[in-house]
Amino acid sequence: MAFQYTRLDKNNVAVLLVDHQTGLLSLVRDIDPDRFKNNVLALSDLAKYFKLPTILTTSFETGPNGPLVPELKEQFPDAPYIARPGNINAWDNEDFVKAVKATGKKQLLIAGVVTEVCVAFPALSALEEGFEVFVVTDASGTFNELTRDSAWRRMEAAGAQLMTWFGVACELHRDWRNDVEGLGTLFANHIPDYRNLMTSYNKLAK
């Protein structure tokens, strides 16, 4: 069977931010903490930029996992916010699944902490129900590279596509001519080197 390139379609995508909680973030060791936080916020910024329906969820906030990273709640004050009382797999929570299905979207961008549990479990569950799943790898984190790679292989074998937030943004945008300044600003806000490109471009454009 010939390969079929399944592209992200901004009109058919929902974003699931799973368990980006202050306690769990302290467990992330497969990526530099500052870079990881930047990647998470970049994903949330692109979700806002492309007007993608976004769902926030946490697991056992009153326990050691801690509250949601405050920047995400500030970014999406009106988004569905599912504080799961104990379900480890977000897909086991009826309110979460209802919120996902209420978006009417079939492509799911999923990121979270930790990768092999909070990302993998709902990703596998969503694939089983017929959704197209795209895991945002650099906005998901875990204990170490071995744990991360095992989770990636498991999800990929089930049909999930692995992407980074930068690749996601480019595939959603499709054509620079749609909005040079908007996309460029998004990149510049999260990639220091890209800021140099935009500075140069802005000077030449004047």
Side-chain angles (χ1 to χ4, degrees):
M1 182 177 176
F3 171 75
Q4 184 174 354
Y5 176 19
T6 302
R7 301 188 188 197
L8 286 168
D9 176 358
K10 65 183 180 181
N11 298 312
N12 197 29
V13 175
V15 178
L16 313 183
L17 299 178
V18 185
D19 301 354
H20 290 100
Q21 295 165 248
T22 55
L24 292 176
L25 256 65
S26 67
L27 302 176
V28 175
R29 292 291 181 272
D30 63 321
I31 186 171
D32 175 79
D34 290 338
R35 184 178 301 173
F36 177 64
K37 182 79 172 288
N38 173 71
N39 293 342
V40 172
L41 297 181
L43 176 59
S44 71
D45 280 351
L46 77 83
K48 195 81 169 180
Y49 174 72
F50 289 107
K51 299 180 174 62
L52 306 178
T54 300
I55 297 169
L56 309 173
T57 186
T58 57
S59 171
F60 198 40
E61 281 188 11
T62 56
N65 294 349
L68 183 73
V69 171
E71 291 93 334
L72 297 180
K73 186 61 177 172
E74 292 168 7
Q75 179 83 291
F76 303 103
D78 301 319
Y81 179 75
I82 314 300
R84 308 189 314 280
N87 315 93
I88 293 176
N89 181 352
W91 209 265
D92 288 340
N93 182 280
E94 185 178 353
D95 292 334
F96 179 76
V97 176
K98 282 182 178 178
V100 173
K101 292 183 177 179
T103 68
K105 312 302 182 183
K106 292 301 291 181
Q107 295 183 326
L108 304 180
L109 282 170
I110 305 180
V113 184
V114 290
T115 307
E116 73 278 17
V117 175
C118 307
V119 178
F121 293 176
L124 295 169
S125 300
L127 284 164
E128 186 178 33
E129 293 207 23
F131 289 89
E132 295 175 3
V133 173
F134 300 77
V135 174
V136 188
T137 56
D138 55 353
S140 303
T142 189
F143 306 108
N144 52 54
E145 289 82 0
L146 175 62
T147 307
R148 176 196 67 198
D149 293 350
S150 298
W152 286 354
R153 285 196 296 270
R154 186 184 189 196
M155 290 185 283
E156 200 168 33
Q161 295 194 47
L162 308 184
M163 300 186 69
T164 64
W165 73 262
F166 185 82
V168 166
C170 290
E171 192 158 277
L172 289 169
H173 202 64
R174 300 288 176 90
D175 191 319
W176 268 108
R177 292 167 295 183
N178 290 331
D179 181 12
V180 176
E181 294 292 340
L183 189 65
T185 298
L186 172 65
F187 290 163
N189 285 342
H190 296 283
I191 305 173
D193 291 340
Y194 215 96
R195 196 170 299 128
N196 297 332
L197 270 67
M198 289 306 295
T199 299
S200 175
Y201 166 77
N202 289 329
K203 285 186 177 180
L204 290 172
K206 289 180 180 178

